[in-house]
Amino acid sequence: MTQPVVTLSNLGMTFNAGKHNQTIALEAIDLAIQPGEFISLIGPSGCGKSTLLRLVGDLIQPTAGGVQVNGKSAQQARIDQDYGMVFQTPVLFEWRSILNNVMLPLELRGMGRSERQKRAQALLHLVELSGFEHHYPWQLSGGMQQRAAIARALAIQPKLLLMDEPFGALDEMTRERMNMELHRIWLETKTTVIFVTHSIPEAVFLSTRIVVMSARPGRILRVVDVPLTVPRGEHTREETAYFQVETEVREWLRKAKGYATHGLPE
Amino acid sequence: MQLRRHLPAILLFLAALALWEGLVHLLQIQRFLLPAPSVIWAAFIENFDRLVHIGWFTTRQALGGFAIGCGAGILAALAVSRWAVASETLMPFAIAANSVPIIAFAPIFNNWFGVDNPFSKMMIVAVIVFFPMMINTVRGLTLVDPAALELMRTYAASELTILRKVRLPNALPYMFSAFKVAATLSMIGAVVSEYFGGNRSALGVFITQEAAQFRFQNSWAAIIIACIVGISFYLIVMLAERLAIPWHSSVRSEAGD
Amino acid sequence: MLRLYEILYKHNLPIRLTMKPVQRLRKAVRQTLSFAIVIVLITLVWEGAKWLGGDPWRPENNPFGISHHPPFRWKVTSDLNLPHTWQILGAFGEPARRNGPPLIQILFAAAVYTFREAIVGFALGSALGLLLGGLLSHFRLLERGCMPYIVASQTVPILAIAPMVIIWLKAGWFSVAVIAAYLTFFPVTINTLRGLRSPDPLAVELMRSYAASAWAVLWKLRFPAALPYIFTAFKISATASVVGSIIGELPSGIRSGLGGAILNFNQYYISGPQRLWAAILASAVVGIVFYLLIALIEAYALRGRKALAESL
């Protein structure tokens, strides 16, 4: 049994503890994520999905429980650059070319120029943006910018990829295409992915497991297995298992809204 | 509550004053180089009536110039922003004109309108203030969200209506930004333009004359008047801004600009 | 003519991604043409006003050799107050005093002298402003304490205390540069502060996810994000430096700069009004040249950015 990439033990997050605007964002989160998995976090708005992601990334510190990444504390994992992050917006630096943007994390690690360029160009090839190295972000479409952001996240060849609704701002067709791309990249790089989304079809298409969360205070309502064959493609959306998983997730999501008052089901 | 926030600043000011006074006495700095605050204060009290009189004279010039310059700037902006060709042609010129030291025209205006005539200084202030006002107002009138313009077009709104309901409100923050710049420039412009010659009852003339006779404490006292007027003017504009555009984020945020 | 108009103006560029070189050229030609048109218009209005209400036009004082008696008589448009445009331009070539060098030589030397004061002052003020802005953005407490002073410093009319500054420093042209520096540092400080604080919070989170050092965040994120703001301040400060230099020369008795030239030609206005106008024109040129210099550097520093591509 290999060591899990991410272990969340009784993780909890309370903002403004003790004050009048105290918010319990997350409560009693227990989860172990194995290497190579694709985990989606899905749930009603405000259920703490993004907070959970940021806790794993050590961008905020938990008020209860612990996070282990690659067998180390989240903070150490961040310092060692064990993960890459993709946000809702591409967050590319407008003054850098696409190539320079992808090279940013490598620059920060002190990698030599020719090595960075080679690595960055290979990554741009992976996300199918070859030829756009010297363009500037504003010259690319939203989908292309997000692909560049993914390339940047993969620059340091992390074992873990954290993605916070990266395709939320894109139109449906582009989104479906990006899902295919991400899937292909996941297969090629064999990275473990934690993916926050609002979209059930997206979660089902991409994941090996789906974590459905309750409304605030966020708890894990259900972890749904996604036994669809890999590699996935157009055909996947036609499989019966696809509809079954979608329906199961949808049912749990419906229940999720009621949990703040009704408590967990049997 | 407001006082508490400004307390460190006030304390620092008092400390600085004390230090100034102390250093002047300690190092025996000569009066004609750097008078001590106490000396300046004495000069201020002594000449108070005269200072108020000449201060008001110069302030009138500043206010007059502000009114003329801002008014003309706004009118010019309304005219220029109406036609895209006009704005494309004239804006670069206005920006270039803004980088010209207008104060250099002071002697010319003195010759045209008379050195003693406050109108000559008013015109300098007006020209100084005109370009930033025009540039900012044009920006405010034209940099409108295209979606808002499209909405108005679906209402078959006339250009005049669009101006009144969309462009002018949009322009207000830009205009207030220019008003604040104009407020500070007016007083300084009025005082400094008097350096090229002016009425004896003017602040700038008083400052240069007293300085020339090494009565620096009087110059400083006059400068204090100029500062007070300048700050008051700026604060009045800020107050007007708060009343006119309370909804704008720059007014809502703590560190307003 | 219509064809020319079509070529120059008929291309509305809504959401163009990049400007092809031919479009850039078109735009440059358009802008130069607009400037030329405005200059011509001003000249026409100028001479037009003199045609209507100036002093009589005699064959010897105009290049067209015509005689004209204006219908009105306005004081403002007399030859003394508003010399003919050709008289002003002609003055550049003539000597300012008997057997002296041509005016353009004198004015050029004066312009260089004043320009030096302005640039040195600008450099000092900008360096101070950048440093102060950087410090204030990093130390919140410092900002709270210092901000009121920094704002108040701008209400002190430095130009008003210029006489005293010049005497204290006893440093000739450098004292004037100090005045220019004082005028420069405030806009630069304020805008540097705003600019350093401007990045998208997500970008800051991104840098945190890279465990980037505070220095790396400053150098690779905040500073590049601040550049557009800083250049806006630079453009304002450039103008202020030139104004400050000209004014600063007045009480200091410096005769070698443009301020001195203006005072000089103002004193002898009656004997040659066009010379004063020429000196003012020279001042305008210095102001514009400095501004263009900054704009040029800005175009390089902000290359590739969207805002610049659109404004270009």
Side-chain angles (χ1 to χ4, degrees):
Chain A
M1 179 66 170
T2 44
Q3 193 196 34
V5 175
V6 176
T7 317
L8 309 173
S9 332
N10 200 32
L11 192 62
M13 186 67 199
T14 308
F15 292 108
N16 294 318
K19 298 203 200 127
H20 65 97
N21 55 351
Q22 171 174 298
T23 330
I24 304 175
L26 293 169
E27 217 172 46
I29 305 284
D30 284 292
L31 188 64
I33 301 176
Q34 304 299 330
E37 283 202 90
F38 195 114
I39 305 285
S40 285
L41 299 177
I42 198 167
S45 291
C47 70
K49 317 189 281 294
S50 295
T51 310
L52 185 52
L53 205 68
R54 282 172 167 72
L55 283 169
V56 175
D58 190 48
L59 294 175
I60 44 181
Q61 280 73 49
T63 49
V67 182
Q68 289 267 308
V69 177
N70 271 340
K72 328 171 196 177
S73 69
Q75 187 185 30
Q76 193 59 43
R78 179 173 64 88
I79 293 172
D80 293 344
Q81 291 281 278
D82 285 348
Y83 71 85
M85 189 144 180
V86 180
F87 298 87
Q88 277 152 311
T89 53
V91 200
L92 297 169
F93 290 179
E94 61 152 0
W95 53 87
R96 285 175 171 243
S97 64
I98 296 295
L99 188 70
N100 277 329
N101 264 299
V102 175
M103 296 201 297
L104 177 64
L106 303 173
E107 262 177 55
L108 292 172
R109 289 191 101 192
M111 192 181 276
R113 173 164 270 266
S114 53
E115 216 194 315
R116 326 198 269 262
Q117 255 176 337
K118 251 195 299 199
R119 177 92 68 96
Q121 263 157 352
L123 285 160
L124 285 174
H125 181 74
L126 177 69
V127 301
E128 298 192 349
L129 276 180
S130 299
F132 289 95
E133 287 92 353
H134 302 292
H135 280 61
Y136 282 85
W138 64 273
Q139 295 174 304
L140 267 52
S141 71
M144 293 163 82
Q145 288 184 21
Q146 205 50 302
R147 273 191 272 159
I150 293 174
R152 181 181 59 188
L154 293 171
I156 41 171
Q157 292 168 337
K159 288 217 194 81
L160 178 63
L161 202 58
L162 303 176
M163 305 178 86
D164 190 358
E165 292 189 67
F167 308 138
L170 305 174
D171 63 272
E172 193 62 37
M173 292 317 296
T174 315
R175 198 170 188 164
E176 269 186 26
R177 248 193 50 210
M178 296 298 285
N179 288 344
M180 298 271 210
E181 298 262 317
L182 183 59
H183 181 68
R184 176 182 59 81
I185 294 169
W186 171 62
L187 284 177
E188 265 187 61
T189 56
K190 301 195 195 353
T191 335
T192 314
V193 181
I194 307 181
F195 187 87
V196 170
T197 181
H198 265 131
S199 160
I200 304 176
E202 189 173 64
V204 177
F205 181 80
L206 292 168
S207 325
T208 53
R209 281 197 290 162
I210 300 176
V211 174
V212 183
M213 297 183 62
S214 70
R216 188 181 303 155
R219 300 170 191 232
I220 295 184
L221 205 50
R222 184 75 174 183
V223 179
V224 178
D225 274 319
V226 186
L228 295 168
T229 55
V230 161
R232 299 178 188 168
E234 291 294 347
H235 58 92
T236 312
R237 299 186 206 268
E238 320 259 311
E239 291 179 25
T240 11
Y242 182 85
F243 292 111
Q244 282 170 345
V245 177
E246 251 211 18
T247 317
E248 192 183 345
V249 174
R250 191 167 290 125
E251 265 174 33
W252 282 108
L253 264 181
R254 258 189 227 128
K255 292 178 192 160
K257 292 258 179 178
Y259 279 122
T261 42
H262 295 133
L264 289 161
E266 297 314 307
Chain B
M1 179 40 179
Q2 282 271 57
L3 196 65
R4 182 134 47 99
R5 230 178 14 159
H6 296 301
L7 204 58
I10 297 172
L11 287 177
L12 200 60
F13 179 66
L14 295 173
L17 271 184
L19 192 67
W20 182 350
E21 181 86 30
L23 279 179
V24 168
H25 284 302
L26 208 65
L27 303 179
Q28 295 281 316
I29 297 179
Q30 305 209 264
R31 177 174 294 212
F32 70 84
L33 277 182
L34 180 64
S38 50
V39 177
I40 295 176
W41 180 253
F44 186 78
I45 301 292
E46 199 187 309
N47 290 302
F48 191 70
D49 288 331
R50 176 117 193 267
L51 286 174
V52 169
H53 176 71
I54 60 180
W56 174 236
F57 187 87
T58 305
T59 306
R60 259 177 35 225
Q61 286 168 181
L63 287 176
F66 179 88
I68 298 174
C70 288
I74 294 175
L75 286 175
L78 284 169
V80 163
S81 62
R82 177 72 181 80
W83 295 282
V85 176
S87 123
E88 245 190 63
T89 318
L90 293 173
M91 277 298 269
F93 185 78
I95 293 173
N98 206 20
S99 53
V100 166
I102 305 289
I103 204 85
F105 283 89
I108 300 277
F109 284 17
N110 281 343
N111 289 325
W112 284 1
F113 306 113
V115 171
D116 284 346
N117 192 343
F119 190 67
S120 58
K121 313 298 183 297
M122 261 191 236
M123 282 312 288
I124 286 277
V125 173
V127 176
I128 289 176
V129 155
F130 173 83
F131 289 109
M133 193 72 218
M134 180 185 142
I135 293 172
N136 270 35
T137 309
V138 169
R139 287 217 183 107
L141 291 171
T142 48
L143 290 178
V144 179
D145 181 6
L149 293 175
E150 273 190 313
L151 182 70
M152 292 307 278
R153 253 167 273 242
T154 68
Y155 297 149
S158 67
E159 278 297 332
L160 186 63
T161 314
I162 294 180
L163 177 71
R164 271 178 39 223
K165 303 239 175 253
V166 178
R167 292 189 193 276
L168 277 177
N170 189 65
L172 281 179
Y174 291 83
M175 285 166 69
F176 271 100
S177 195
F179 281 140
K180 284 190 264 190
V181 168
T184 24
L185 287 180
S186 307
M187 196 57 189
I188 298 179
V191 170
V192 172
S193 60
E194 287 160 2
Y195 283 6
F196 284 96
N199 200 304
R200 266 178 312 130
S201 313
L203 217 50
V205 176
F206 181 81
I207 291 173
T208 30
Q209 278 177 350
E210 295 300 301
Q213 296 178 33
F214 289 101
R215 291 202 286 261
F216 284 165
Q217 62 275 18
N218 288 348
S219 295
W220 276 100
I223 288 167
I224 291 175
I225 296 277
C227 283
I228 293 174
V229 176
I231 296 176
S232 313
F233 201 177
Y234 187 88
L235 288 176
I236 292 175
V237 173
M238 270 188 71
L239 186 68
E241 184 187 33
R242 224 165 269 257
L243 291 172
I245 48 172
W247 43 263
H248 190 68
S249 55
S250 74
V251 175
R252 280 186 279 134
S253 71
E254 199 191 64
D257 197 83
Chain C
M1 274 306 289
L2 188 62
R3 187 87 184 96
L4 190 67
Y5 172 78
E6 273 175 17
I7 296 175
L8 286 176
Y9 284 91
K10 277 283 163 156
H11 266 267
N12 244 334
L13 314 166
I15 312 168
R16 284 301 193 134
L17 295 184
T18 26
M19 269 222 198
K20 295 196 283 269
V22 65
Q23 286 164 337
R24 235 189 282 264
L25 185 68
R26 229 183 256 158
K27 180 127 195 195
V29 171
R30 242 162 56 204
Q31 288 199 311
T32 323
L33 216 65
S34 334
F35 260 82
I37 290 174
V38 176
I39 302 284
V40 166
L41 277 174
I42 293 177
T43 314
L44 285 175
V45 170
W46 183 298
E47 295 297 337
K50 290 182 71 61
W51 183 265
L52 284 176
D55 287 342
W57 292 42
R58 284 188 290 275
E60 59 269 15
N61 71 359
N62 70 79
F64 311 110
I66 46 177
S67 200
H68 172 71
H69 225 90
F72 305 102
R73 262 307 177 86
W74 299 324
K75 179 165 180 270
V76 176
T77 46
S78 72
D79 277 355
L80 192 66
N81 283 331
L82 204 72
H84 284 281
T85 45
W86 47 84
Q87 285 174 319
I88 298 174
L89 290 175
F92 279 102
E94 289 159 25
R97 60 175 192 280
R98 220 173 295 279
N99 298 325
L103 186 62
I104 192 169
Q105 210 177 310
I106 298 177
L107 285 179
F108 185 74
V112 167
Y113 191 91
T114 303
F115 193 63
R116 177 177 53 160
E117 291 163 338
I119 271 215
V120 170
F122 176 82
L124 283 174
S126 301
L128 180 64
L130 287 171
L131 187 67
L132 206 57
L135 285 175
L136 291 184
S137 75
H138 201 74
F139 301 107
R140 275 278 145 114
L141 211 63
L142 209 67
E143 191 204 340
R144 205 105 59 84
C146 289
M147 236 0 203
Y149 289 103
I150 297 182
V151 173
S153 77
Q154 285 314 287
T155 54
V156 172
I158 179 72
L159 296 177
I161 66 177
M164 291 173 257
V165 172
I166 304 286
I167 294 176
W168 290 340
L169 293 180
K170 296 198 240 277
W173 69 264
F174 188 71
S175 330
V176 179
V178 167
I179 292 177
Y182 187 96
L183 289 170
T184 301
F185 100 92
F186 178 71
V188 175
T189 306
I190 295 288
N191 274 31
T192 304
L193 187 58
R194 268 174 76 198
L196 289 175
R197 293 235 177 103
S198 67
D200 182 357
L202 279 183
V204 182
E205 267 200 313
L206 182 76
M207 293 302 275
R208 211 181 123 67
S209 79
Y210 295 146
S213 65
W215 176 253
V217 175
L218 180 68
W219 187 241
K220 293 203 185 279
L221 174 62
R222 293 194 185 278
F223 184 69
L227 279 180
Y229 294 79
I230 293 176
F231 272 99
T232 305
F234 277 174
K235 287 192 259 198
I236 297 171
S237 298
T239 308
S241 298
V242 176
V243 172
S245 299
I246 293 179
I247 301 292
E249 288 172 8
L250 300 179
S252 60
I254 293 177
R255 287 275 144 160
S256 330
L258 283 173
I262 291 175
L263 268 185
N264 191 23
F265 295 135
N266 188 37
Q267 230 182 325
Y268 299 107
Y269 190 68
I270 311 288
S271 64
Q274 63 275 18
R275 284 195 270 276
L276 177 61
W277 281 96
I280 294 174
L281 202 62
S283 311
V285 167
V286 171
I288 295 177
V289 163
F290 200 174
Y291 182 89
L292 285 178
L293 217 69
I294 303 288
L296 223 73
I297 300 175
E298 182 192 33
Y300 174 72
L302 302 187
R303 67 193 179 285
R305 300 199 197 201
K306 179 179 189 186
L308 198 72
E310 281 175 350
S311 76
L312 238 43

